[in-house]
Each structure stands twice: as structure tokens, then as C-alpha cells.
Amino acid sequence: MSHPASIASTVQGLPLHTRSLTVAIHRDPQGLWHARGDVIDLRKNGFVPSSYDLQPSGIIHMMSIDLDFDPDSLLIEKISVDQPFVAIEPSKTTKGECCRDPAPRLLDLSGEILDDGFAKKLSLQFGGALGCSHLLTLFQLMASTVPRAVALERAREEREGTVHESGERFFRRSVFVDGHDRSPELTDVGVQLADSHTRPIAAGDRVTERLELSHEVKTFASVNRKRFTLERLQVRERSRSHKTVGTAEWVDHGALVASLVGERIIPGMAGRSFKLLGGEPAHRPILDNLLMFAPGFIQITAALMDDYFEKRERSDNPTKAEKPAVANLGGNTDSCYMWRSDGQIAKAWAAGLAGGD
């Protein structure tokens, strides 16, 4: 059996940032199924000058989306959103605007169906200057997770003839994006996706017999900081059941994703990944893993501000020091509601009132 030890050792350097995305699904008593999605961004290094304050290390974003949906039609019956931690709170600079303002637009997607056309509807309703990129990324992940979970659970029910109790979680998808400061030229990034599908068991059975499916995709890469290109990319995949939990082997997909090496992450990685993997349903977990790479990398770059501060101090002309990567990625005009071209932050920057660094 192949041993995954080499996989665990393929990212190196100072931990910078972790993005966690999870989707958990259970039955509701009313016959609907419920999906809860959470995204948490945890900065582990440095701080970032924001529009009106210093944004330190710690939790930067904590947001959740709850969906009640019909498992047969995949029609969304109800949506709710919560955002305990956001990057920009209401302030004098923003004239009361904050990252929570666009969330109600998501509620208008109630009544839509989580089918192949939903992602486009979601982008039109909540993409760019209309919404929040973090909630958008989370909802996109939920939109691909729910149909997969429903198909797996329906197949299991038909095969085994058992049904989970109401309120009992039977499926969970977890995605973790971790960034590491490998060298002045490279940032290492790991993306780990894990689908866990469980089954009802009888009293006295081993806990591991609850495992219907564990499906994992692990991606490890090195990114050139200046060009935002993939210098190295490794992808491994493994599927296990309670019968094969100790024997299932990893499958190397290096050849499958080789064409992405040398290409830019931003912009274009999502489109290239769809073109490469979108036509094969068996590759959907790998695609979902890679689609989380670019949004997570944007967050990682914000933890590299120390490099900018040091270069500025060494510069003969500090006011013209090279902008940090986060300035080129995280605050582009119209990239989200708070950075829209006619928003209060853009106006404050133009007037020199936003306290830029």
C-alpha cells in the first residue's frame, strides 16, 4: 500500500493563513433536508492596513449560510445568512456601510434549484460589486456539494434500506486552504477536501462501521509571488469505506493537472480547471478542490504584508515602494460590494481620507 507521508511533507515554511469551509447536511422533521455552510478565515501572521484601521492576525471572516431544500427536486425552500466576523464594519469612513449589507441579495435565490445552471444564477445575483466574495465562494461550494450528497445518500438508502434519523448529520464536506511562507520567491499552498458520508449502525457495532464513504483530495502547490503562477502542483485522491479504511491507496493525478503548471492563478484558474475537469463527473471532487485555490490564495497574500513594510523601509523613495501582492488582488475595484467603484471606500481613497499605507 502506498503511504501518504510524502504528501504531508510537500508544504514548507512559516504558517500564514488558513481558510476553512465546511458543509454539513441532515434531515429535518418536516421532510426537507438542511445544509449549513461555514467559512472561516484565520490569519496567522502580520497585519493589514484596512480602509480605516489596522486589521490584525486572528479571525478575519466568519460567515454561514443555511439552506432548507427539497431532496427530490433540489429546490431551495429557505435561505438564511449570518456574518459574526467581517473585514469591514460600519464606520465614519464607510458612512455606515459594511460587508453585511449585500447579504439580503442571497435571500432572493429562494425558490431556485441547485442544478447545473445555479452557479451562473448565483454569480449574476451576487458576484462582483453586487455581493461578498466570501459568501459567494461558500455558496458555490454548497451548490456543488448538495447534489453530490443527495445522490450518495439516496443510493445508500436504496442499497441498504435504512434511513437516518431527523437531525442526524449524514454528510459533511470540509475544505482547508493553508498558506506557508516558503521563501522570498515562493508561497506554498495546500488545499485539502474531504467528503464524509455516514450510515446508520446497530447498537454494539464499531464506530468505524458508520463510515459509508471517505473521499479525499489533497492538492499541494508552490506559487510564484510576483507572477502568481503555479510553479509546482501535486494532486492526490483516495476513497475509503469502513471495509477499506486501512487499505485504500492514494491515486496520483499529477499527469491529469500538469497543464495547469506555469499558468496564473489569478485570473483564470477557475476557467482552466473547468475546461480541464468539468466534463467528467468522476473528477468533480478534484475540480471542487481546485476551485477553492484562488479565493483562498487571495486571503493568504494578506499575511505577507511584512515583506512590503521591510522593502519600504529599505527603499530610497518609500512613497513609491512596490505595492504588496494583496493590493493587487484583494481590493480590486468592483471585486465586491465594499470595493465597488461608487462605494464609500473608493470615494474615501480618492479624497485621501481612507488612511492608506
Side-chain angles (χ1 to χ4, degrees), residues 7 20 85 91 118 121 176 247 253 256 326 336:
I7 298 174
S20 167
F85 281 83
S91 69
F118 180 78
K121 294 177 183 177
F176 304 104
T247 59
H253 291 299
L256 178 65
V326 67
C336 71

Side-chain angles (χ1 to χ4, degrees), residues 184-221:
E185 295 79 28
L186 297 175
T187 299
D188 273 9
V189 180
V191 185
Q192 302 184 75
L193 179 149
D195 287 344
S196 298
H197 183 203
T198 60
R199 52 197 289 272
I201 60 173
D205 287 345
R206 295 193 305 271
V207 173
T208 52
E209 293 187 59
R210 284 188 60 81
L211 182 64
E212 176 69 15
L213 173 69
S214 170
H215 191 109
E216 302 163 273
V217 180
K218 296 184 183 292
T219 293
F220 298 97

Side-chain angles (χ1 to χ4, degrees), residues 26-34 67-68 166-167:
H26 67 259
R27 295 172 176 269
D28 278 343
Q30 296 79 11
L32 298 176
W33 290 10
H34 182 86
L67 303 178
D68 291 326
S166 175

Side-chain angles (χ1 to χ4, degrees), residues 286-348:
I286 302 174
L287 175 61
D288 286 342
N289 175 293
L290 293 177
L291 290 177
M292 296 297 105
F293 197 110
F297 181 73
I298 291 174
Q299 302 304 308
I300 291 166
T301 60
L304 289 166
M305 284 294 297
D306 285 351
D307 287 350
Y308 164 67
F309 295 136
E310 293 168 5
K311 289 178 180 177
R312 185 182 64 179
E313 290 302 315
R314 295 194 299 265
S315 174
D316 293 333
N317 190 346
T319 60
K320 293 186 178 181
E322 182 179 2
K323 289 184 179 181
V326 67
N328 297 324
L329 295 176
N332 286 341
T333 301
D334 291 330
S335 60
C336 71
Y337 174 80
M338 292 307 299
W339 288 102
R340 67 195 189 282
S341 56
D342 61 346
Q344 296 303 323
I345 290 181
K347 293 177 181 177

Side-chain angles (χ1 to χ4, degrees), residues 245-287:
V245 68
T247 59
E249 297 189 357
W250 290 93
V251 177
D252 190 318
H253 291 299
L256 178 65
V257 300
S259 63
L260 297 176
V261 177
E263 298 288 346
R264 287 177 62 90
I265 296 173
I266 301 169
M269 184 170 178
R272 285 187 288 272
S273 297
F274 265 111
K275 185 176 181 179
L276 184 65
L277 303 168
E280 177 54 61
H283 291 158
R284 184 68 207 206
I286 302 174
L287 175 61

Side-chain angles (χ1 to χ4, degrees), residues 6-13 178 180 182 188-190 219-221 232:
S6 59
I7 298 174
S9 63
T10 52
V11 292
Q12 299 178 25
D178 290 285
H180 297 257
R182 183 184 182 98
D188 273 9
V189 180
T219 293
F220 298 97
R232 175 179 63 100

Side-chain angles (χ1 to χ4, degrees), residues 28-315:
D28 278 343
Q30 296 79 11
L32 298 176
W33 290 10
H34 182 86
R36 176 185 172 99
D38 290 274
V39 58
I40 298 174
D41 277 309
L42 177 62
R43 182 176 300 147
K44 300 176 178 178
N45 181 70
F47 62 86
V48 174
S50 186
S51 59
Y52 62 94
D53 200 357
L54 293 178
Q55 192 183 79
S57 299
I59 295 176
I60 307 303
H61 307 112
M62 180 185 289
M63 308 178 186
S64 65
I65 299 173
D66 286 88
L67 303 178
D68 291 326
F69 65 93
D70 184 320
D72 297 319
S73 64
L74 297 182
L75 184 142
I76 302 172
E77 297 283 353
K78 182 181 178 181
I79 302 173
S80 59
V81 178
D82 190 24
Q83 296 172 275
F85 281 83
V86 295
I88 301 176
E89 295 281 359
S91 69
K92 183 178 179 180
T93 300
T94 66
K95 296 188 184 308
E97 292 185 351
C98 78
C99 294
R100 298 183 185 91
D101 293 347
R105 296 185 66 89
L106 282 182
L107 307 185
D108 292 337
L109 290 166
S110 291
E112 297 290 348
I113 297 175
L114 294 166
D115 56 13
D116 291 341
F118 180 78
K120 184 175 181 180
K121 294 177 183 177
L122 175 61
S123 294
L124 291 173
Q125 178 72 14
F126 203 68
L130 297 174
C132 163
S133 60
H134 316 302
L135 286 175
L136 178 66
T137 297
L138 176 61
F139 211 152
Q140 288 170 334
L141 182 67
M142 296 177 74
S144 65
T145 301
V146 167
R148 172 172 168 80
V150 170
L152 289 171
E153 177 64 1
R154 288 304 200 202
R156 187 206 61 77
E157 290 173 349
E158 183 176 348
R159 184 172 59 252
E160 298 185 354
T162 58
V163 177
H164 284 277
E165 294 182 3
S166 175
E168 180 182 31
R169 172 179 54 80
F170 60 84
F171 189 92
R172 178 167 178 160
R173 167 168 283 186
S174 301
V175 183
F176 304 104
V177 185
D178 290 285
H180 297 257
D181 183 5
R182 183 184 182 98
S183 72
E185 295 79 28
L186 297 175
T187 299
D188 273 9
V189 180
V191 185
Q192 302 184 75
L193 179 149
D195 287 344
S196 298
H197 183 203
T198 60
R199 52 197 289 272
I201 60 173
D205 287 345
R206 295 193 305 271
V207 173
T208 52
E209 293 187 59
R210 284 188 60 81
L211 182 64
E212 176 69 15
L213 173 69
S214 170
H215 191 109
E216 302 163 273
V217 180
K218 296 184 183 292
T219 293
F220 298 97
S222 294
V223 180
N224 183 290
R225 289 188 186 176
K226 289 189 176 182
R227 297 192 298 271
F228 304 125
T229 53
L230 283 167
E231 301 295 302
R232 175 179 63 100
L233 182 63
Q234 298 172 309
V235 177
R236 303 287 189 273
E237 185 177 31
R238 177 174 68 174
S239 290
R240 295 183 287 175
S241 70
H242 65 282
K243 296 179 180 179
T244 62
V245 68
T247 59
E249 297 189 357
W250 290 93
V251 177
D252 190 318
H253 291 299
L256 178 65
V257 300
S259 63
L260 297 176
V261 177
E263 298 288 346
R264 287 177 62 90
I265 296 173
I266 301 169
M269 184 170 178
R272 285 187 288 272
S273 297
F274 265 111
K275 185 176 181 179
L276 184 65
L277 303 168
E280 177 54 61
H283 291 158
R284 184 68 207 206
I286 302 174
L287 175 61
D288 286 342
N289 175 293
L290 293 177
L291 290 177
M292 296 297 105
F293 197 110
F297 181 73
I298 291 174
Q299 302 304 308
I300 291 166
T301 60
L304 289 166
M305 284 294 297
D306 285 351
D307 287 350
Y308 164 67
F309 295 136
E310 293 168 5
K311 289 178 180 177
R312 185 182 64 179
E313 290 302 315
R314 295 194 299 265
S315 174

